[in-house]
Amino acid sequence: MNKFSWYEATSIEDALQQVNKTVSEELYQSTNNAAVFKSGGIDVFDWVKEGLINPQKIINIRNIPGLDVISYDAKDGLRIGSNVTLAEMASNSDIKNHYLALHQAINHAATPQLRNMSTLGGNIAQRNRCWYFRSADHQCFRKSGDRCFARHSETGENENHAIIDNGSCVSLHASSISTALMAFNASVVIVNSKGEKKKVLMDDFFVSAGQDIAMETILQAKEIITEIVLPAPSKNTKSYYIKQVARESYDWSLGDVAVVIETSGDTCKSASIVLGAAAPVPYRSVQAQQAMEKKSINNTNAMAAAEAAMSVARPLSKNGYKVPLFKSIISEAILKIT
Amino acid sequence: MDTRKEKFPYGIPGHNLSEIEREIPIEEPPVWPINDKLKIIGKRVNRIDAVDKVTGKAKYTSDMKLPGMLYAKMLRSKVPHAAIKSIDISEAKSLAGVHAIYLIENTQKEGEEKNNGKFPMVKYVGQPLGGVAADSLEIAKDAISLIKVNYEEKPFVIDLEAAMEMDAPIVFDVPITRQADGGDVGEVHDGSKGQGNVRGPSTSSFFGGPRGDLEQGFNEADIIVEKTYRTQVQTHMPLETHGVVVDWRPDMMMVYASTQNTNAVRNEMASIFGLPKSKVRVVCDFMGGGFGAKHSAGSFGPMAANLSKKTGRPVWLMMDRQEEHIAEGNRPNSIQYLKIGAKKNGTLTAIQQRSHGTAGVGLGAGVGRIAQVLYPCPNFATEQYDVLTNAGPGAAWRAPGNVQGAFGLEQAIDEMAEKLNMDPLKYRDLIDKSEVRKIERQRGAKLFNWSRRQPAGSGKGLVKKGLGVGQSTWPRFVTLDSSVEVKIHNDGGVEIRSSVQDIGTGTKTILAQVVAEELGLQVNDITVNIGDTFFPVGPGSGGSVVTGSITPPTRNAAFEAKTALLKLVAKKWETDSSELFIENGQVGSKKDANLKMPFKEATKLMRTSQISKIASRSDDYGGFQQPWGLAYGDLGSVQFAEVSVNTDTGFVKVDKIVAAHSCGRPLNIGQLESQINGGVIQGISYALYENRIMDTGTGHMMNANVDQYKVPYSMEIPEIETLIVEEYSALSSTDAYGIGEPANIATAAAVANAVYNAIGVRLHEIPITPSSILKALNKVS
């Protein structure tokens, strides 16, 4: 592990002054002079330890004041500072009372130890968990290599990989919390070094592999996430989240789904349905949403929505099981909204 | 040899307990009654090192810090098959803080192709090529990354079935003899026979070869079960990885090793470096798990010694988690073909077994003796083939071979029961002649409430419950080269010394219990100094031999020391020592209740500062099945599993296990339960989670970490109820045996049988995952 210097950022301006690269840029094309952000440190230090990035400087943004606040307002909704830990979110009663699916997603993320360390900003900006991408011995497209190892129909070990939008990259976005955030139409607030602030819908925050193979989000080097904001749910909005794993104590998602439905009696007025561990970025299933709109919430309609969601699935050689698995959890999550 | 006759308890209390007369060596202690009548043996005694372990006071090999110590890291191959053209160490050598670089040179050993190069041929990703010693581990790692290895790559093969093809790349084109580290106890695999990558078969074990006539047996059969079962490669993943600290001083080589066999490591290091055994000292105070893979000095032992020799300083060399997965051992996979014939009444007429498995570049991928010995069947034959592949070598893994073999056989027996329209438990009553397993089935079924079991796949709803059972047998092995010293010091202290190590199962504690029981003292009056080759040679912790090998001589040595001490007291009291006894720390007399002397005071009568007695394992009373130490009887077990299977998501949860076991005379109930729990958890892990995933295109293991190589955590561990059946066989002064391996054999089969009972479709392959369940249910298009 190469030596690096440690910089303790005291303000957003200070941090943006120091930084010159995103971790993604370094992973794609490594330089000798990168200065990168570290918040909880969970993801960035993994890359450093694997020898896949060798930053010269680590800028600790974890202690920048003002980024660790959760606030809720019945009219404006929820604001979560980017340095808020997952553990803090898990114990927040506003999230539990008004954004149940998010609360459920947080409680199924990682382990209690990791939730104590991880920050929300880092969680949504982390890179995918494809074991080829994370292996120093496999130069894949995402690391400016010439192939996708996982996609290979004979040798690819792709049991855990994407079934939707799995073209040039078949990885899965690692943040299952993002599944729920996107379902609640959350936005990411980003500040750049000029002091400009923008608010980007989660749907537009993530970048597909086809758009840019080097990136998974729109974040640029001279930008920082300051908070994530969720609109206030209407009185008749209900939500549910399911993460299916092979191992309950701690496991990456085999498939997860967040359903947010505005109801009118037992009818679905509008639905927001997002799938995790289905595609390289959190995947909004427009097909499932449309299938549910103006329909009553019952078994037949929930199954039809799940079928619609999976109509776009194109499994790889070893992950065909994810299709029935998703059908099961999508319909189950919809039926929990009653 | 002078002998005397004694009457021993014999059989199973609550079932058929009787007495048997044995002729025993005259110097051995009198018979112990059954556990009910003993004070310390057979009770729940806390581990003597429990507090040290949970408070972090216990120092493991990786904790060792010696003055001037250097940290080392291994250089490992990045490609699966290659000749090495050159290795450039110039940059690494000039890195500040690097003290020595040692490259493994080509010695043209057996098992290597014609190779005129300077370096050995590379046969798998992770093969050790050299090592670096530096001021810190970080510097050593940096130095390794600066070494440039120039490979001439060759075609390779990773997949078991691909390697069996006639046109597969050849891993070794010469005969090989390299056995899996630790291997299967008593088995030697033949790597000279066979074609291409397929070597063998081995067709016999120490229980003999084929029996009867298979063809005739199948002709006599009314019903045939013919199936192929598959098991995966499982890596050991002990919490403490492999490694050593070697301090090669001018007068002696000191080795601190994370090992389950201090004596074997000592002998190996002495042999490699041409040193007398007396000049090599191996110490293992605490072990962070071995599970069979830590019997030898490995490649890291000689590497650390060479680096220590080069630098004149102690060298620390522990594996990291990736190295542990790819190069320090695994349980080979298997493809097992089984054909079983039975008459309409259930009587077995023939069992045929053929297996292929790969231990990577090593031999030892058999499926054990379960099919040969679990059920008596007049016609039996097995062919077990080793298939060589370009992957890390296998190593012994908790009941080597037999865990794989039990997964196949115990499912096939279930399938036979189904065809016979018999309850699987009743069917085993019919074909299993073991008395102890009969009792285990009876008591286990009651505890588990087996009678609630429903026909396969008959449950309603999405989540289906299933119940299953699996059985196992494990031989009673004894290592005859097992010695121990018991010392009584003249300050009242008592000390036990042996090279035997405590692999973590509680060996230290049971030795203290045995001596405390014999000397009429308390467990914490006894100091246990073991795991050091400066003491008498004890057994390796493998084959579940330790308890059966070392507790009898421990008791015998304590008895001899006690006898010597009581003689001194008898002289003072002017009486005969045979009238004296020690109870609750007091010497007393059977004849005169007024005569009393505290143990500590009695030790002051000694002329020298200690009484020291060394005893070695004597032959079993009544002899052995095989003179090298295969005892009569077996260690039988029956395990019951209850599972829930979600038929929509494929999620499987083990809800409950009842594990019924026997190990002769139980010594410490708490520790036995701990070991059984551990075996069951590893069995569940094998059935549902663990799997070495290799990319067959690159030869790399993709999940060589703790994140993606799945083992169970708290929520995956079900309720485990243990049921220990006392069984007295009158074979030694303690009549006790181990439980390590038996605890792990039947679990995966029991879980698989329960999954079948739940969903009505049988999975012939592990691990059982959401993917395999959904496929079995025809839900994957």
Side-chain angles (χ1 to χ4, degrees):
Chain A
M1 188 163 78
N2 286 348
K3 293 189 173 72
F4 54 78
S5 64
W6 182 269
Y7 185 85
E8 197 67 31
T10 53
S11 67
I12 292 167
E13 300 74 39
D14 184 23
L16 288 167
Q17 194 81 48
Q18 292 294 326
V19 70
N20 63 15
K21 282 282 185 308
T22 62
V23 168
S24 297
E25 285 169 337
E26 268 308 279
L27 278 165
Y28 193 73
Q29 200 81 59
S30 90
T31 61
N32 299 320
N33 60 351
V36 298
F37 284 153
K38 171 257 155 202
S39 178
I42 307 297
D43 201 37
V44 69
F45 286 138
D46 264 1
W47 295 113
V48 173
K49 282 186 282 187
E50 294 292 336
L52 283 157
I53 61 169
N54 296 301
Q56 199 180 49
K57 189 189 279 185
I58 300 274
I59 302 148
N60 186 23
I61 57 171
R62 181 73 182 83
N63 299 319
I64 294 176
L67 299 181
D68 54 355
V69 179
I70 306 179
S71 66
Y72 174 73
D73 179 282
K75 205 170 93 213
D76 295 340
L78 184 71
R79 309 187 82 86
I80 311 169
S82 56
N83 268 340
V84 171
T85 66
L86 305 191
E88 286 161 351
M89 289 169 71
S91 60
N92 183 282
S93 57
D94 288 323
I95 294 178
K96 190 176 178 185
N97 294 336
H98 306 291
Y99 303 90
L100 178 64
L102 178 60
H103 175 77
Q104 291 169 320
I106 296 159
N107 277 291
H108 285 97
T111 64
Q113 293 92 327
L114 286 168
R115 294 199 289 268
N116 287 336
M117 295 296 291
S118 316
T119 61
L120 181 58
N123 181 271
I124 64 170
Q126 68 180 306
R127 296 305 307 272
N128 74 71
R129 301 299 307 190
C130 172
W131 44 36
Y132 293 99
F133 182 45
R134 294 206 169 234
S135 158
D137 301 305
H138 296 81
Q139 276 305 107
C140 73
F141 287 135
R142 290 266 199 210
K143 293 180 292 188
S144 66
D146 63 355
R147 73 191 82 173
C148 173
F149 295 89
R151 202 178 206 304
H152 195 286
S153 60
E154 281 160 26
T155 62
E157 288 298 338
N158 53 37
E159 186 165 312
N160 304 319
H161 289 70
I163 53 169
I164 296 174
D165 284 352
N166 47 8
S168 46
C169 177
V170 301
S171 68
L172 299 175
H173 194 259
S175 165
S176 50
I177 291 173
S178 294
T179 311
L181 288 172
M182 198 190 272
F184 282 111
N185 295 315
S187 297
V188 184
V189 178
I190 297 168
V191 173
N192 70 13
S193 53
K194 294 177 196 145
E196 295 160 341
K197 188 184 266 196
K198 59 180 172 183
K199 193 173 147 189
V200 184
L201 262 182
M202 273 287 214
D203 294 70
D204 303 321
F205 174 72
F206 294 111
V207 171
S208 81
Q211 280 174 274
D212 185 348
I213 194 72
M215 312 293 277
E216 283 170 70
T217 70
I218 60 161
L219 272 180
Q220 300 292 312
K222 290 283 184 187
E223 290 181 334
I224 191 167
I225 302 169
T226 56
E227 57 182 346
I228 288 85
V229 297
L230 284 72
S234 76
K235 212 181 86 196
N236 295 324
T237 296
K238 290 176 185 165
S239 70
Y240 206 80
Y241 171 88
I242 297 174
K243 172 178 165 183
Q244 184 60 50
V245 289
R247 192 175 60 169
E248 285 177 305
S249 304
Y250 154 67
D251 213 346
W252 298 98
S253 171
L254 298 177
D256 55 296
V257 59
V259 174
V260 181
I261 286 179
E262 194 180 351
T263 57
S264 166
D266 67 348
T267 304
C268 166
K269 238 172 100 183
S270 70
S272 177
I273 299 175
V274 179
L275 311 181
V281 295
Y283 181 81
R284 179 179 294 282
S285 178
V286 178
Q287 296 82 1
Q289 293 178 173
Q290 283 170 352
M292 280 313 294
E293 253 158 56
K294 313 285 183 287
K295 300 270 172 61
S296 25
I297 300 169
N298 61 33
N299 200 40
T300 312
N301 291 334
M303 281 304 294
E307 289 286 345
M310 286 298 106
S311 64
V312 294
R314 300 287 178 271
L316 304 167
S317 55
K318 294 183 177 168
N319 65 3
Y321 73 98
K322 281 194 168 193
V323 174
L325 185 148
F326 266 110
K327 285 181 189 170
S328 167
I329 61 172
I330 293 168
S331 56
E332 189 189 343
I334 292 171
L335 289 171
K336 293 282 182 184
I337 311 281
T338 42
Chain B
M1 188 171 70
D2 288 338
T3 59
R4 67 174 197 274
K5 285 182 177 161
E6 288 242 19
K7 282 206 169 67
F8 283 75
Y10 190 76
I12 301 167
H15 172 57
N16 61 0
L17 186 66
S18 63
E19 273 193 334
I20 189 169
E21 191 174 77
R22 294 275 202 219
E23 202 165 320
I24 69 169
I26 200 148
E27 69 275 10
E28 295 209 7
V31 177
W32 266 345
I34 65 168
N35 279 353
D36 259 6
K37 300 188 172 71
L38 294 175
K39 288 200 162 72
I40 294 166
I41 291 296
K43 306 297 177 285
R44 281 176 197 278
V45 174
N46 287 344
R47 276 168 207 266
I48 58 177
D49 49 9
V51 173
D52 283 354
K53 283 185 172 181
V54 298
T55 57
K57 205 178 150 198
K59 292 283 173 256
Y60 293 77
T61 304
S62 55
D63 297 322
M64 288 300 304
K65 281 196 176 62
L66 299 174
M69 188 173 84
L70 300 173
Y71 291 84
K73 187 81 191 161
M74 302 276 266
L75 171 69
R76 293 182 182 276
S77 70
K78 291 281 189 186
V79 299
H81 198 182
I84 296 175
K85 290 198 278 193
S86 62
I87 301 180
D88 178 2
I89 60 166
S90 53
E91 265 190 80
K93 217 162 134 185
S94 54
L95 185 70
V98 170
H99 287 255
I101 300 178
Y102 183 90
L103 295 178
I104 297 170
E105 298 208 340
N106 178 20
T107 49
Q108 198 72 50
K109 277 185 195 154
E110 164 280 333
E112 287 165 16
E113 284 107 321
K114 212 176 188 134
N115 173 16
N116 301 322
K118 191 175 172 204
F119 304 105
M121 301 286 278
V122 167
K123 296 291 182 186
Y124 63 97
V125 171
Q127 181 176 316
L129 305 178
V132 172
D135 284 331
S136 73
L137 186 55
E138 288 70 29
I139 295 171
K141 280 184 191 170
D142 282 349
I144 291 293
S145 69
L146 293 174
I147 298 177
K148 292 179 194 72
V149 184
N150 189 359
Y151 300 103
E152 184 189 318
E153 293 192 48
K154 299 182 168 214
F156 60 91
V157 63
I158 302 294
D159 179 67
L160 169 59
E161 282 174 288
M164 288 160 63
E165 299 287 337
M166 288 306 285
D167 57 352
I170 297 298
V171 181
F172 292 97
D173 62 7
V174 289
I176 70 162
T177 57
R178 178 182 182 158
Q179 304 290 314
D181 187 359
D184 188 6
V185 186
E187 301 271 4
V188 173
H189 292 255
D190 189 343
S192 64
K193 289 187 293 184
Q195 277 197 321
N197 296 319
V198 183
R199 304 294 168 96
S202 99
T203 55
S204 65
S205 74
F206 44 75
F207 288 121
R211 300 189 295 263
D213 181 337
L214 272 189
E215 203 185 328
Q216 194 191 325
F218 286 121
N219 284 340
E220 287 167 12
D222 300 310
I223 298 162
I224 304 264
V225 168
E226 194 176 5
K227 286 283 161 56
T228 298
Y229 302 87
R230 288 160 195 266
T231 62
Q232 76 280 37
V233 176
Q234 180 188 28
T235 68
H236 295 67
M237 234 185 75
L239 280 184
E240 184 188 35
T241 57
H242 285 68
V244 290
V245 177
V246 177
D247 185 8
W248 195 338
R249 306 173 197 156
D251 58 331
M252 192 190 60
M253 184 194 284
M254 185 76 206
V255 182
Y256 302 91
S258 175
T259 181
Q260 52 195 93
N261 200 334
T262 56
N263 180 46
V265 172
R266 190 266 308 262
N267 294 347
E268 206 180 324
M269 293 295 265
S271 152
I272 290 168
F273 293 101
L275 295 169
K277 288 182 186 180
S278 55
K279 296 281 186 193
V280 180
R281 182 178 186 184
V282 177
V283 172
C284 176
D285 286 337
F286 291 95
M287 260 293 272
F291 312 122
K294 291 184 180 169
H295 279 284
S296 83
S299 50
F300 47 84
M303 178 60 66
N306 278 311
L307 290 168
S308 179
K309 188 181 183 184
K310 257 186 142 170
T311 57
R313 293 165 70 161
V315 170
W316 180 102
L317 177 54
M318 300 296 294
M319 303 304 102
D320 65 26
R321 188 54 63 185
Q322 188 187 28
E323 294 176 294
E324 191 69 21
H325 278 297
I326 64 177
E328 295 306 335
N330 55 68
R331 182 190 294 285
N333 56 7
S334 72
I335 301 175
Q336 310 166 40
Y337 164 85
L338 266 174
K339 185 176 175 186
I340 298 180
K343 290 184 179 160
K344 274 186 198 137
N345 65 9
T347 313
L348 292 172
T349 60
I351 299 176
Q352 183 185 5
Q353 182 183 51
R354 186 170 61 241
S355 74
H356 292 85
T358 181
V361 296
L363 298 170
V367 293
R369 304 161 296 269
I370 292 280
Q372 184 182 18
V373 295
L374 188 56
Y375 304 106
C377 174
N379 306 302
F380 168 81
T382 184
E383 289 170 54
Q384 306 189 7
Y385 292 90
D386 279 283
V387 182
L388 300 166
T389 53
N390 292 105
W397 211 134
R398 210 167 183 173
N402 294 276
V403 172
Q404 297 94 298
F407 174 74
L409 181 78
E410 281 299 275
Q411 281 212 79
I413 292 295
D414 246 47
E415 296 190 54
M416 180 60 83
E418 177 112 15
K419 285 194 170 187
L420 291 162
N421 207 13
M422 283 177 82
D423 175 276
L425 206 54
K426 288 210 179 85
Y427 184 48
R428 286 171 173 89
D429 279 335
L430 181 79
I431 57 172
D432 185 3
K433 301 300 166 211
S434 156
E435 203 63 21
V436 75
R437 274 193 300 273
K438 182 170 95 185
I439 296 306
E440 286 169 352
R441 280 192 301 272
Q442 276 174 17
R443 296 180 187 172
K446 201 172 161 205
L447 188 61
F448 186 71
N449 192 9
W450 175 262
S451 59
R452 70 200 152 113
R453 185 173 180 273
Q454 298 296 315
S458 64
K460 300 279 173 278
L462 218 59
V463 178
K464 296 188 191 296
K465 279 261 178 195
L467 308 185
V469 66
Q471 298 202 139
S472 74
T473 175
W474 186 253
R476 295 175 169 187
F477 295 118
V478 171
T479 300
L480 295 174
D481 185 13
S482 296
S483 304
V484 61
E485 178 182 13
V486 173
K487 282 183 166 190
I488 300 177
H489 293 274
N490 64 353
D491 62 352
V494 178
E495 185 186 357
I496 302 169
R497 295 175 150 203
S498 171
S499 82
V500 69
Q501 55 292 310
D502 188 337
I503 190 175
T505 52
T507 302
K508 288 175 186 170
T509 307
I510 58 167
L511 295 184
Q513 283 180 266
V514 166
V515 171
E517 183 81 46
E518 185 57 38
L519 296 185
L521 300 174
Q522 295 303 309
V523 167
N524 49 18
D525 294 329
I526 317 295
T527 300
V528 184
N529 289 322
I530 62 171
D532 185 338
T533 58
F534 266 19
F535 301 144
V537 168
S541 302
S544 303
V545 304
V546 170
T547 301
S549 304
I550 199 75
T551 61
T554 302
R555 185 180 172 213
N556 298 356
F559 174 71
E560 286 179 42
K562 178 175 84 173
T563 307
L565 180 70
L566 291 181
K567 274 184 185 156
L568 300 176
V569 180
K571 196 172 163 197
K572 185 174 169 74
W573 285 348
E574 297 175 347
T575 175
D576 193 282
S577 67
S578 64
E579 291 163 15
L580 304 187
F581 62 87
I582 313 174
E583 203 177 274
N584 299 325
Q586 294 265 347
V587 183
S589 164
K590 287 178 215 163
K591 288 210 168 147
D592 184 349
N594 292 321
L595 285 175
K596 276 211 164 103
M597 185 188 293
F599 178 80
K600 191 172 173 177
E601 206 176 301
T603 64
K604 294 199 174 107
L605 301 174
M606 283 155 39
R607 200 167 62 78
T608 51
S609 46
Q610 81 277 306
I611 292 170
S612 161
K613 297 290 175 188
I614 295 179
S616 301
R617 182 61 159 88
S618 47
D619 283 354
D620 271 8
Y621 308 150
F624 290 114
Q625 279 195 69
Q626 299 273 353
W628 49 264
L630 179 65
Y632 286 103
D634 77 335
L635 303 171
S637 100
V638 181
Q639 293 190 355
F640 300 80
E642 177 182 346
V643 303
S644 303
V645 183
N646 183 314
T647 52
D648 252 15
T649 62
F651 178 72
V652 180
K653 188 165 174 60
V654 179
D655 299 312
K656 183 174 183 164
I657 298 278
V658 167
H661 285 265
S662 80
C663 55
R665 177 196 296 276
L667 296 181
N668 186 328
I669 300 300
Q671 292 190 163
L672 279 172
E673 285 176 355
S674 277
Q675 274 202 81
I676 295 169
N677 287 342
V680 165
I681 293 164
Q682 282 188 326
I684 291 171
S685 189
Y686 183 56
L688 302 182
Y689 308 112
E690 291 182 60
N691 195 5
R692 182 188 72 179
I693 294 173
M694 301 275 285
D695 182 290
T696 55
T698 65
H700 284 264
M701 178 176 172
M702 299 318 301
N703 57 342
N705 49 44
V706 195
D707 180 31
Q708 305 275 12
Y709 186 86
K710 292 182 185 181
V711 293
Y713 297 147
S714 55
M715 285 170 80
E716 283 66 58
I717 297 168
E719 178 190 3
I720 303 170
E721 285 202 72
T722 56
L723 197 158
I724 296 163
V725 176
E726 278 178 48
E727 186 192 15
Y728 296 93
S729 315
L731 294 174
S732 74
S733 64
T734 61
D735 211 12
Y737 294 89
I739 198 79
E741 280 157 306
N744 187 40
I745 301 173
T747 318
V751 168
N753 284 335
V755 167
Y756 169 72
N757 182 241
I759 64 174
V761 185
R762 192 168 283 281
L763 280 94
H764 295 95
E765 182 170 1
I766 44 174
I768 296 167
T769 62
S771 176
S772 67
I773 292 279
L774 291 173
K775 275 185 199 151
L777 293 170
N778 274 327
K779 293 199 173 183
V780 181
S781 47

